Amino acid sequence: MDENNVRKYPIIRVAGVPEHFNEPWIIGIEENLFLNEQIQIEWHSIKEGTGAMINKLKSNEVDLIIALTEGLINEISKGSDIRLIGTYVQSPLTWSVSTGINSQFHSIEDLKGEIFGISRYQSGSHLMSCVLANQYGWKQDDVHFLVNDNFENLRKSLNENTSAAFLWEYFMQKPFYDKGEIRRIGEIITPWPCFLIASRQQFIGEH
């Protein structure tokens, strides 16, 4: 492929979490599928999740994000200029509820009034903890939160007893269940498509 021609192609900065859902983007870049369509994709892997990606989109560090539906809808409801431009994964997401391997908690009911670890406020782990509380008939002040930034720190917080539980996608957690690092005590399934594609109004208008 002629590098001089490639330099003329528009660059689109796309952000997503480093999870299996986004492997098609990586494959597409490696196999020049986007270049064949005269587009350069610059992939940004954001392990902190939806809240962090929304912030990067708002600050013009990226052009598109592949993010959780609940986080995007929450952001738009607050008057943000972020807009949805498509569905990336139609199927719902299974959020697994995890606790420490030796913790005293053995069911979701045990977690009322306890501290939930979250990656950040307005993230999927935060919003789905609120959805969980609502489904179990708890008041919002029956759930407390501790920000742990990322998946690794969330796992550590369980076994250090700084949080009682956290919610994260099941298949991302399964290897750590299998290794005996954390323990699964329940799940919640979103009643909506799990991943959407979003951008800023200005970028959409220009493209």
Side-chain angles (χ1 to χ4, degrees), residues 6-179:
V6 168
R7 293 192 187 99
K8 299 176 184 178
Y9 299 162
I11 298 173
I12 299 178
R13 302 165 298 171
V14 182
V17 290
E19 298 178 6
H20 56 283
F21 301 100
N22 287 318
E23 190 63 21
W25 289 92
I26 307 304
I27 294 172
I29 292 169
E30 291 174 348
E31 298 190 0
N32 294 328
L33 300 183
F34 298 107
L35 291 179
N36 290 341
E37 300 299 324
Q38 300 186 359
I39 300 171
Q40 295 186 73
I41 296 295
E42 182 181 290
W43 179 257
H44 294 248
S45 185
I46 311 297
K47 66 179 181 179
E48 293 83 3
T50 292
M53 286 190 285
I54 287 173
N55 289 337
K56 288 184 178 295
L57 184 59
K58 290 165 66 176
S59 62
N60 195 28
E61 295 176 61
V62 296
D63 303 310
L64 299 178
I65 59 174
I66 315 300
L68 292 169
T69 299
E70 52 270 24
L72 291 170
I73 296 299
N74 179 68
E75 176 67 22
I76 292 169
S77 73
K78 296 186 293 185
S80 172
D81 74 339
I82 289 176
R83 291 294 180 268
L84 308 178
I85 59 176
T87 299
Y88 181 60
V89 178
Q90 179 67 40
S91 58
L93 197 67
T94 299
W95 289 82
S96 191
V97 184
S98 297
T99 190
I101 193 66
N102 295 314
S103 83
Q104 61 181 314
F105 308 107
H106 297 281
S107 69
I108 292 175
E109 289 83 354
D110 294 339
L111 299 173
K112 183 178 180 180
E114 300 295 337
I115 296 173
F116 280 72
I118 59 175
S119 58
R120 67 187 62 237
Y121 284 99
Q122 312 306 324
S123 66
S125 55
H126 172 225
L127 295 174
M128 290 309 299
S129 296
C130 295
V131 172
L132 181 76
N134 182 67
Q135 288 193 358
Y136 277 78
W138 303 342
K139 297 178 181 178
Q140 289 302 315
D141 57 8
D142 287 330
V143 184
H144 310 284
F145 302 106
L146 176 67
V147 175
N148 284 296
D149 298 321
N150 57 53
F151 184 39
E152 180 181 1
N153 290 342
L154 285 165
R155 300 195 310 272
K156 288 180 180 178
S157 75
L158 298 183
N159 291 315
E160 292 173 354
N161 297 316
T162 53
S163 62
F166 73 83
L167 280 72
W168 209 261
E169 195 272 330
Y170 168 72
F171 288 103
M172 286 296 295
Q173 298 201 69
K174 189 178 185 304
F176 302 96
Y177 297 145
D178 294 344
K179 290 191 296 186

